[in-house]
Amino acid sequence: MIEIHREILAGIPALHAVKSDNMNKKLPLIFFVHGFTSAKEHNLHFAYLLAEKGFRVILPDARLHGERTDGRPEKEMMYEFLDIVIHTIAELDQMKNALATKALISDHIGVIGTSMGGMITFGALTQYDWIKAGASLMGSPTFETFVRGQIEALKREGIDLPHTDNELEEMYQTVKKYDVSVQPETLNDRPLFIWHGKQDVVVPFGPTYDFYLTVRDKYKKYPERLQFLADERAGHKVTREAFLKTVEWFTTYLQS
């Protein structure tokens, strides 16, 4: 039987999925990070199958999402998008440390994310060598380019931004620290699965595929550890095929 527990890890509300028999065992761990305006409960189907495979799965609420919402409109949340991403990357490390103190996790740790969560996955891979495998589903690896595009879209809509142009430039410089597209060497041959729909109008397909072509040469020694799965018809919604392939990926590369 799969158990789902609501927990607070390092001050962060999260759902914890695990097989009943495995609750107190040291297990491989997977963090699942949701997308923008989503919440931890929306990805329990992933958690269920991964827990069935023997993983301990943690689904946190990102800042301003789920239990952490303060009720602000989506467009106002967009002003905080970059801060949410960076904040969540830091919180992954905090939650991992909290679980490690309880001796509940092995050193086999993975991160999955959808949309904004996929972006967080890419960013986390630049920061933490304790991540042994990753999967990004319709996320952007090109932090600076993506964020600039989002800000320009808000400007075209005539929305007054709470930042000056100089402040925005400072933000763009800050985000380079997490931009895997400008530091692909940080992947260091770690297994990485990327899925993206070609009809995605929220997170464009092109930059993600271009990134894959760029880093592919860096996986010459272990080409099987990098996989890009494109869907000709999919938009900004994860398909069942992507869901099952992700579970298969972690079963292959993250089992103890």
Side-chain angles (χ1 to χ4, degrees), residues 68-107:
R68 304 172 76 180
T69 184
D70 62 4
R72 73 181 70 185
E74 180 178 330
K75 284 187 178 180
E76 289 186 21
M77 284 177 64
M78 196 65 217
Y79 303 154
E80 305 288 335
F81 181 83
L82 186 53
D83 185 68
I84 294 167
V85 168
I86 293 173
H87 205 80
T88 307
I89 291 171
E91 290 181 340
L92 289 174
D93 195 48
Q94 295 164 23
M95 289 185 287
K96 185 268 293 184
N97 291 337
L99 288 164
T101 61
K102 299 177 182 179
L104 291 177
I105 57 174
S106 70
D107 61 357

Side-chain angles (χ1 to χ4, degrees), residues 189 216-225:
D189 291 327
R216 188 169 56 179
D217 286 343
K218 295 189 177 298
Y219 279 81
K220 284 182 178 177
K221 190 174 180 181
Y222 304 104
E224 70 281 359
R225 293 185 183 177

Side-chain angles (χ1 to χ4, degrees), residues 134-161:
S136 171
L137 311 178
M138 60 192 184
S140 174
T142 56
F143 272 39
E144 183 181 1
T145 302
F146 180 77
V147 173
R148 282 184 183 274
Q150 294 296 307
I151 294 297
E152 291 306 311
L154 290 173
K155 287 181 177 179
R156 286 194 297 272
E157 291 182 33
I159 296 172
D160 291 327
L161 299 174

Side-chain angles (χ1 to χ4, degrees), residues 1 14 63 75 88 137 139 145 161 172 190 196 249:
M1 182 168 60
R63 177 175 172 266
K75 284 187 178 180
T88 307
L137 311 178
T145 302
L161 299 174
Y172 299 144
R190 286 176 290 179
H196 216 124
W249 185 259

